[in-house]
Amino acid sequence: MSSTILITRQLPESVLERLGAACQYRIGVVSGSITREALLTGLDGVEGLICQLTDRIDEAVIEAGSKLRIIANVAVGYNNIDVEAATRRGIHVTNTPDVLTDATADLTWALILSVTRRIVEADAFLRAGRFDGWDFEMLLGSGLTGKTLGLIGYGRIGRAVARRAAGFGVNVQYCSREDVAFRDDPRYQSRAVPSSPLASPINQSAHFDGLAARHVSFYELVESADIVSLHTPLAPTTRHLIDRETFRRMKPGSYLINTARGPIVDESALVEALDAGHLAGAGLDVFEDEPRVHPGLLQRQNVVLLPHIGSATLETRTAMARLAVDNVMDWIAGRMPRNKVN
Ligand code: GLV
């Protein structure tokens, strides 16, 4: 008997056709998000779940799927899934890396340029009928050449952002997930903590695709970067990583860019840092409590706010759906799912 898969939200037809040739599937909702109740009841008799980052796959959901063997998230981040609970039950969890790297890196640069050159503010200014002639000092922004971009997280997306930096004459510094996790550990301060294979020793340059990026500690990065951009997953070590203390250590007049996950930033502390004029601006694609946005951000002109569209291109979303389906099809064929994370 063929397997049954629950797809919480409709995926592109071309992708569903491939899946339909290998198994039966049910679709939760055509648009928007599946309700929790529909998710819990929909899991009855289902062996595979294809879900979205807005679907909270916690222990209760995992328990409800008594036959569940694979959970394929249509996203690279999988903080919406209780991976430990799934692992305890022997359920594979997969994500969709690589296919969204370029789209997310492009959007990071769109935010950097928008906020430093005041693009959204300038557009609103013109539409409000306030453009009554060129003026020497009108809407002055901040240039990028010679500035320092600090990347927190230097995985696929962080490096893709770094590659694009070369075209803007920006110096790149980065710290790894490990630098973040051990930032307050005295052994780390003396560099006694073993370095991951991804990370070069602190204060050395790493060369990827001909680009020199300097590896620095977390605190060196926040204290010296003109633009801090976040590219780490949301984990216990990164929740509120950018808090009041981090803002205090950031350079006066610097910018914060977040295309990773909202709860990495303490949004109230961000509003305070903006209100105090300590930060020059922020570009945010993700929020602490999506879809709610802190009211103190909505009022500000020096903040660009996007509705979590980092991977939102037709090509990328189709590739993400295909990859999630490929992972399920790997499992159906008795192979190890190609993007298993647990
Ligand atoms: C998007 O936020 C993703 O994790 O894929």
Side-chain angles (χ1 to χ4, degrees):
M1 215 185 65
S2 83
S3 313
T4 303
I5 310 297
L6 173 66
I7 303 173
T8 59
R9 190 226 182 267
Q10 173 89 34
L11 297 177
E13 270 314 319
S14 59
V15 174
L16 292 179
E17 263 170 38
R18 292 180 60 241
L19 185 66
C23 65
Q24 303 166 25
Y25 64 80
R26 303 177 193 151
I27 295 186
V29 286
V30 171
S31 65
S33 293
I34 193 169
T35 63
R36 185 158 175 93
E37 198 186 359
L39 176 59
L40 290 168
T41 53
L43 280 168
D44 188 35
V46 154
E47 285 138 312
L49 173 66
I50 299 182
C51 55
Q52 302 288 332
L53 60 86
T54 44
D55 302 326
R56 189 158 53 87
I57 313 299
D58 56 16
E59 186 144 25
V61 172
I62 290 168
E63 290 296 320
S66 56
K67 291 196 169 164
L68 211 48
R69 288 290 151 260
I70 179 162
I71 301 171
N73 213 30
V74 191
V76 66
Y78 46 86
N79 52 286
N80 56 313
I81 301 173
D82 185 339
V83 178
E84 275 177 28
T87 307
R88 278 198 299 277
R89 295 259 326 268
I91 299 170
H92 303 291
V93 177
T94 67
N95 68 343
T96 59
D98 300 315
V99 291
L100 47 68
T101 299
D102 285 333
T104 310
D106 290 348
L107 195 89
T108 302
W109 274 99
L111 279 173
I112 293 173
L113 289 163
S114 297
V115 76
T116 57
R117 295 300 303 273
R118 304 172 63 180
I119 301 293
V120 176
E121 188 185 344
D123 179 275
F125 174 89
L126 182 145
R127 288 172 201 263
R130 294 172 60 199
F131 179 37
D132 55 10
W134 186 88
D135 183 80
F136 188 68
E137 290 186 350
M138 184 173 64
L139 289 161
L140 298 183
S142 174
L144 290 175
T145 310
K147 299 283 171 64
T148 297
L149 170 65
L151 303 173
I152 297 182
Y154 206 53
R156 299 175 189 86
I157 297 173
R159 287 183 210 178
V161 172
R163 276 198 296 279
R164 286 153 175 76
F168 292 99
V170 161
N171 305 311
V172 180
Q173 296 189 341
Y174 73 93
C175 65
S176 66
R177 251 185 246 189
E178 193 177 48
D179 302 322
V180 167
F182 292 112
R183 66 192 181 282
D184 293 318
D185 183 331
R187 291 174 309 145
Y188 172 82
Q189 310 299 334
S190 60
R191 311 291 185 258
V193 171
S195 189
S196 88
L198 276 183
S200 60
I202 292 281
N203 282 323
Q204 285 198 4
S205 290
H207 292 268
F208 292 107
D209 304 329
L211 176 87
R214 194 166 181 78
H215 181 196
V216 296
S217 73
F218 174 76
Y219 290 116
E220 282 172 89
L221 186 143
V222 295
E223 283 168 6
S224 59
D226 299 292
I227 302 162
V228 172
S229 187
L230 307 179
H231 303 286
T232 54
L234 175 61
T237 50
T238 60
R239 186 174 290 275
H240 280 195
L241 172 66
I242 311 298
D243 60 4
R244 206 159 273 121
E245 170 62 9
T246 311
F247 283 120
R248 193 187 62 73
R249 294 175 83 147
M250 278 174 72
K251 233 171 134 170
S254 57
Y255 296 87
L256 178 74
I257 306 293
N258 190 4
T259 53
R261 283 290 183 269
I264 299 173
V265 177
D266 176 343
E267 247 166 42
S268 303
L270 169 61
V271 170
E272 279 173 28
L274 288 162
D275 284 348
H278 183 65
L279 285 199
L284 309 171
D285 184 41
V286 287
F287 302 92
E288 215 179 319
D289 184 24
E290 285 175 29
R292 183 187 158 271
V293 177
H294 193 297
L297 294 172
L298 289 168
Q299 315 306 327
R300 306 203 63 90
Q301 296 221 310
N302 57 345
V303 174
V304 176
L305 306 167
L306 301 179
H308 202 150
I309 56 168
S311 63
T313 69
L314 181 60
E315 297 87 341
T316 300
R317 288 283 161 86
T318 306
M320 289 165 70
R322 182 171 303 126
L323 191 52
V325 161
D326 284 344
N327 275 284
V328 171
M329 289 176 66
D330 285 340
W331 171 76
I332 291 172
R335 293 188 296 267
M336 187 59 82
R338 62 194 71 185
N339 302 115
K340 184 170 154 75
V341 298
N342 61 339

